[in-house]
Amino acid sequence: VTHFYMLLTLLSKSTSGSNADHVFISSGENVRLPCNNALHDCKSTTWIYNRFSHLAAVELIASGIKKKDTESHERLSLGSDCSLNIKNITKEDYGYYICQQYVNGQRHGDEARVYLHVLH
């Protein structure tokens, strides 16, 4: 499985843009989604989730604080490097996650996009 994961990671990085990461994980495992545009602390970090559909995006973390009104809030945590940690992945967690930075209410820099693929 590790070799398969590494191969998929290499393939996805070579075929996608430089501002998007692809993470492949099996159901039931824990995952860390990198925030490649984080500033010196996580107080400016916002994480947004959207399944691969036209549904509205869901704000998971705002200004470094976990939102409590999301389905998965019990399984989420913010890493010291502003990465998004998700425990006990389910197939419903697939989709794309966007890490953005806001300074004084204004978006700062480019967004970091992570596509989560759940293998089952």
Side-chain angles (χ1 to χ4, degrees):
V1 174
T2 303
H3 296 292
F4 178 69
Y5 169 79
M6 289 172 41
L7 175 62
L8 288 174
T9 302
L10 290 172
L11 287 173
S12 66
K13 286 186 183 285
S14 66
T15 59
S16 66
S18 60
N19 64 343
D21 283 324
H22 289 259
V23 175
F24 296 83
I25 193 82
S26 296
S27 294
E29 293 188 27
N30 300 337
V31 70
R32 177 191 162 277
L33 303 180
C35 180
N36 295 328
N37 65 351
L39 300 177
H40 59 279
D41 65 21
C42 299
K43 292 178 182 171
S44 59
T45 300
T46 295
W47 274 98
I48 298 169
Y49 164 74
N50 197 329
R51 197 167 276 168
F52 297 112
S53 67
H54 300 293
L55 300 175
V58 176
E59 195 173 57
L60 302 173
I61 307 275
S63 301
I65 300 169
K66 182 169 57 169
K67 303 288 261 186
K68 294 191 172 153
D69 58 349
T70 63
E71 282 181 36
S72 59
H73 84 275
E74 295 283 333
R75 300 183 296 119
L76 301 177
S77 65
L78 197 61
S80 60
D81 61 352
C82 307
S83 59
L84 181 65
N85 300 312
I86 309 172
K87 293 180 185 174
N88 194 21
I89 289 292
T90 68
K91 62 183 180 180
E92 284 78 27
D93 292 321
Y94 83 94
Y96 62 90
Y97 293 76
I98 300 169
C99 184
Q100 298 174 330
Q101 305 303 313
Y102 287 89
V103 177
N104 298 323
Q106 299 291 319
R107 195 163 123 201
H108 178 77
D110 293 331
E111 64 185 28
R113 193 172 286 226
V114 181
Y115 293 91
L116 180 64
H117 307 270
V118 180
L119 308 172
H120 49 270

